[in-house]
Amino acid sequence: MPQQPPQHHHEMSAGHMMQASAATGPPTSPLVYPHAQSMPYPTDQSHTQGTLPGQMIPQKEENQSNIQSTQKPKEYRSSPQGHLTSPHHQGKNPIPQEVQTKATQVSGDWSVTLVNGQHQGPGQKFKLPCGLAFHRDKLVVCDYGNNIVQILNKDYTCDKVLGSFAGQFAKPFRPWSVAISRFNHYFILDYENKQIVVCDENGKIIKIITLPENIKVVWDIALMDDFVLVTLSLTSWDISQPEDRDDRLVKYTLSGEYVKDVGGQTSVQTKFFWPVSVAVNSKNVIMVYDWGNECIKCFDSNLNFLHQFGQSQLQLPRTESEIDGYGYIAVDEDDNVYVCGYVRVRSTGDVIREWIVKYGCDGKFICDLFKGHVSLPVYIAVMGDKIGVVEGYSDQIKVFSK
């Protein structure tokens, strides 16, 4: 049984790792279900040291291999005044409101529609919505707490539900992020089982990409032509020292074959510190929101580092208080980049800063968006004249449109 619903944030202390009290115990993962046994599938595929293999398999078949850790660099980027500590979900989960589909004018040409999920028909009220995406005329939402992905119509009523996978996996299906291919296949990052479930729009499983068993955290997923990109970590949430973390950006083919990875502990320039989100623009430039390093890192299609931007707008506050937060990235059809996030005092819930920032395709700052109209923006998606934002701790999404 779940003890507390998970939420979205990192924790940071100013001068030292936050120690758990005797009452609460040590830091835990963001998931509330007890650990289940590993999938009882054979491990018979060898791998080459230094690679991060994955395997695209038919349902109920699996091969797993561990990722080989790399040596730590002599230098690394330290965290801002103190050390980030475990990015860990805690429960503050207000009762969701009824679905609202009437747009309200907010500023300039923008209006906003509040979406809470449809409790009638195939859908449910949202419970801890996570990653979202616009696909054609639909809004696709990873409804993490309900163990489903909801596909919403233009009026934001539920059209279809993906996730009737009870009994098919070792642990509960927990959709964390989603990307949709040009073949209308849904690539769903399953946080609990550390796998990618590939299904059609009717929820029929096509394949499963099984990630190596020594992965501790999966962050985000994106598609690039015939490739799948995943940000993940070989270190657990509670590892806060940047020199001890091993975070990666991994490239697979659509058929699940490992291609390449970057990150780990091999280079100061490409070392990640909680790479919470990944997106790709029309020129196949891959952008990773490196939350702990306070920037967006850009790579070419072969995972070669290009440049980084956003340091001025994405800098985390310097404070003696323990704080938490999260963030996400999205790209529009013109290759403009949108980054959302928030930081707040962990003990009181007081918001220190929250942002939705728009950059041009060259990484230059354009403007801030929707100040005063979004609370704790934690996930974002963009298509045309619509911007969808998940608000943390509220079980709702705000869709801004012109």
Side-chain angles (χ1 to χ4, degrees):
M1 293 291 292
Q3 298 174 358
Q4 289 182 334
Q7 291 289 351
H8 325 279
H9 64 269
H10 296 286
E11 295 169 3
M12 177 198 295
S13 61
H16 58 279
M17 179 184 293
M18 182 184 64
Q19 299 297 322
S21 67
T24 59
T28 61
S29 78
L31 303 175
V32 294
Y33 287 93
H35 294 292
Q37 297 297 318
S38 299
M39 296 287 279
Y41 298 138
T43 303
D44 55 9
Q45 180 178 341
S46 62
H47 64 276
T48 303
Q49 184 171 354
T51 64
L52 192 156
Q55 182 74 16
M56 175 71 95
I57 57 171
Q59 185 183 358
K60 293 295 184 180
E61 298 178 9
E62 179 171 344
N63 290 292
Q64 293 185 348
S65 299
N66 290 346
I67 306 169
Q68 299 299 311
S69 298
T70 54
Q71 296 297 317
K72 300 176 184 177
K74 294 181 180 180
E75 296 180 349
Y76 54 87
R77 188 203 184 288
S78 61
S79 60
Q81 189 173 337
H83 307 295
L84 297 174
T85 61
S86 59
H88 143 164
H89 293 19
Q90 288 194 343
K92 275 190 180 180
N93 187 26
I95 299 173
Q97 305 172 24
E98 293 296 323
V99 61
Q100 299 182 25
T101 57
K102 184 178 179 180
T104 302
Q105 201 74 16
V106 291
S107 61
D109 296 332
W110 291 98
S111 61
V112 62
T113 303
L114 184 64
V115 182
N116 302 98
Q118 177 59 273
H119 58 87
Q120 298 176 350
Q124 301 180 42
K125 290 182 180 179
F126 294 146
K127 184 179 180 182
L128 308 173
C130 291
L132 71 164
F134 288 102
H135 179 58
R136 298 173 181 170
D137 61 345
K138 309 287 187 181
L139 176 61
V140 182
V141 180
C142 290
D143 193 351
Y144 180 95
N146 286 318
N147 303 343
I148 58 176
V149 174
Q150 297 201 44
I151 303 176
L152 308 183
N153 294 310
K154 285 183 178 180
D155 62 357
Y156 306 114
T157 58
C158 184
D159 179 38
K160 295 180 180 179
V161 168
L162 312 179
S164 300
F165 308 138
Q168 299 189 49
F169 308 134
K171 302 177 184 180
F173 172 66
R174 291 296 219 179
W176 186 260
S177 182
V178 62
I180 303 99
S181 76
R182 64 182 183 275
F183 304 111
N184 205 31
H185 292 166
Y186 290 71
F187 286 69
I188 306 168
L189 192 60
D190 179 358
Y191 187 96
E192 184 82 357
N193 293 287
K194 304 298 183 289
Q195 63 185 10
I196 302 169
V197 178
V198 185
C199 64
D200 64 19
E201 62 182 355
N202 296 311
K204 180 181 178 181
I205 294 180
I206 300 169
K207 296 286 179 68
I208 298 172
I209 299 176
T210 304
L211 301 175
E213 61 183 6
N214 61 334
I215 289 174
K216 303 298 184 182
V217 180
V218 290
W219 299 103
D220 197 15
I221 186 170
L223 300 179
M224 178 186 67
D225 292 338
D226 294 327
F227 298 96
V228 182
L229 302 166
V230 182
T231 52
L232 51 81
S233 181
L234 274 67
T235 44
S236 61
W237 293 82
D238 58 311
I239 303 300
S240 66
Q241 301 285 359
E243 71 271 24
D244 293 331
R245 292 204 60 80
D246 191 345
D247 300 318
R248 309 281 183 98
L249 167 65
V250 189
K251 180 181 177 182
Y252 295 95
T253 65
L254 290 181
S255 60
E257 298 173 356
Y258 167 84
V259 178
K260 187 179 181 181
D261 69 272
V262 67
Q265 299 172 328
T266 57
S267 168
V268 175
Q269 194 176 49
T270 59
K271 180 174 174 58
F272 298 119
F273 191 13
W274 285 326
V276 293
S277 186
V278 58
V280 183
N281 71 13
S282 66
K283 298 179 179 63
N284 285 344
V285 174
I286 304 165
M287 285 163 282
V288 177
Y289 186 5
D290 195 355
W291 197 86
N293 283 322
E294 308 170 302
C295 66
I296 307 300
K297 291 184 176 179
C298 299
F299 301 82
D300 66 18
S301 59
N302 293 317
L303 304 192
N304 297 308
F305 178 81
L306 298 174
H307 59 90
Q308 64 187 42
F309 66 90
Q311 293 90 328
S312 297
Q313 295 77 33
L314 304 179
Q315 189 176 57
L316 301 174
R318 273 60 175 169
T319 174
E320 293 301 320
S321 301
E322 293 171 352
I323 64 176
D324 61 44
Y326 205 79
Y328 213 69
I329 186 173
V331 180
D332 68 14
E333 292 88 342
D334 296 321
D335 291 340
N336 296 309
V337 182
Y338 301 76
V339 184
C340 74
Y342 73 89
V343 177
R344 64 175 197 160
V345 178
R346 179 174 179 264
S347 60
T348 64
D350 294 337
V351 176
I352 300 175
R353 184 174 169 233
E354 50 196 4
W355 61 91
I356 300 176
V357 184
K358 181 179 180 180
Y359 299 92
C361 60
D362 55 359
K364 293 183 179 179
F365 171 77
I366 295 178
C367 65
D368 294 303
L369 292 170
F370 315 132
K371 279 193 172 182
H373 297 287
V374 180
S375 176
L376 306 180
V378 66
Y379 295 94
I380 190 169
V382 182
M383 186 180 71
D385 61 355
K386 292 183 177 181
I387 300 176
V389 182
V390 175
E391 291 191 312
Y393 305 103
S394 67
D395 291 345
Q396 69 184 18
I397 296 171
K398 285 184 176 176
V399 180
F400 295 86
S401 57
K402 287 187 176 180

